[in-house]
Amino acid sequence: MEEVLRGILAGQPARDYQVRVPPNAGTALTNRLWRAAYERFTAPFKRRFYADGRCNRCLLCVQICPAHNIRLEDGQICFADRCYLCMRCIHQCPQEAIQIGRSTVGKFRWRGPEGDFDPLRLYGLQQTGEDD
Ligand code: SF4
Ligand code: SF4
């Protein structure tokens, strides 16, 4: 492990240390089954994402979604079906406007260890004001 860390810190690409697992028909089938079960279990959550009336279209969520799952369409924030369920948008939306159905309304949002995490400042975005 130490050797790997040294190599990476010295600029060696991390992929040089990857260990390939030989293909195995049983593993591949198990992986497919787990994936299908996961997709089936999570699909209802992914379909229930929306931005409520507090959204001021600052577009932070569009920029930070690692799955490129969020876009602005006809002035509304829309969610596609590529969501990783990472919860990044939910916790970083400055307006706490992103919800999963009713289950997240009024619920805790992570604001950093000191409670003062300001993603708009971090990403160099400005508040656009209400509905402008
Ligand atoms: S981060 Fe929140 S306020 Fe900003 S565009 Fe997305 S849903 Fe709207
Ligand atoms: S939960 Fe993560 S992947 Fe899903 S829409 Fe939000 S930021 Fe994107």
Side-chain angles (χ1 to χ4, degrees):
M1 190 65 188
E2 197 178 324
E3 182 195 336
V4 172
L5 284 174
R6 279 219 186 88
I8 290 172
L9 289 173
Q12 192 80 10
R15 67 174 171 277
D16 289 357
Y17 297 100
Q18 284 178 353
V19 177
R20 299 271 175 213
V21 178
N24 174 305
T27 309
L29 179 62
T30 307
N31 285 347
R32 273 207 298 277
L33 289 173
W34 274 113
R35 182 174 181 117
Y38 173 82
E39 295 294 343
R40 192 182 174 105
F41 176 75
T42 57
F45 296 101
K46 296 176 183 178
R47 280 197 296 268
R48 292 165 65 205
F49 272 71
Y50 70 97
D52 68 23
R54 287 173 292 185
C55 171
N56 63 6
R57 297 183 284 285
C58 70
L59 303 186
L60 175 75
C61 55
V62 175
Q63 291 200 28
I64 65 173
C65 173
H68 305 291
N69 190 50
I70 310 174
R71 67 190 187 285
L72 185 70
E73 195 173 293
D74 297 330
Q76 300 295 319
I77 291 296
C78 301
F79 296 82
D81 59 2
R82 296 184 299 275
C83 178
Y84 301 154
L85 290 178
C86 69
M87 304 293 134
R88 192 175 187 187
C89 58
I90 299 233
H91 288 282
Q92 295 197 14
C93 169
Q95 305 297 319
E96 300 188 9
I98 300 181
Q99 314 294 346
I100 306 176
R102 283 185 298 179
S103 62
T104 53
V105 176
K107 298 282 171 51
F108 168 82
R109 295 319 198 248
W110 171 250
R111 289 288 181 236
E114 306 296 331
D116 59 354
F117 177 56
D118 181 356
L120 282 175
R121 195 179 63 217
L122 178 69
Y123 298 109
L125 297 171
Q126 300 294 322
Q127 289 277 6
T128 56
E130 296 294 320
D131 298 330
D132 56 358

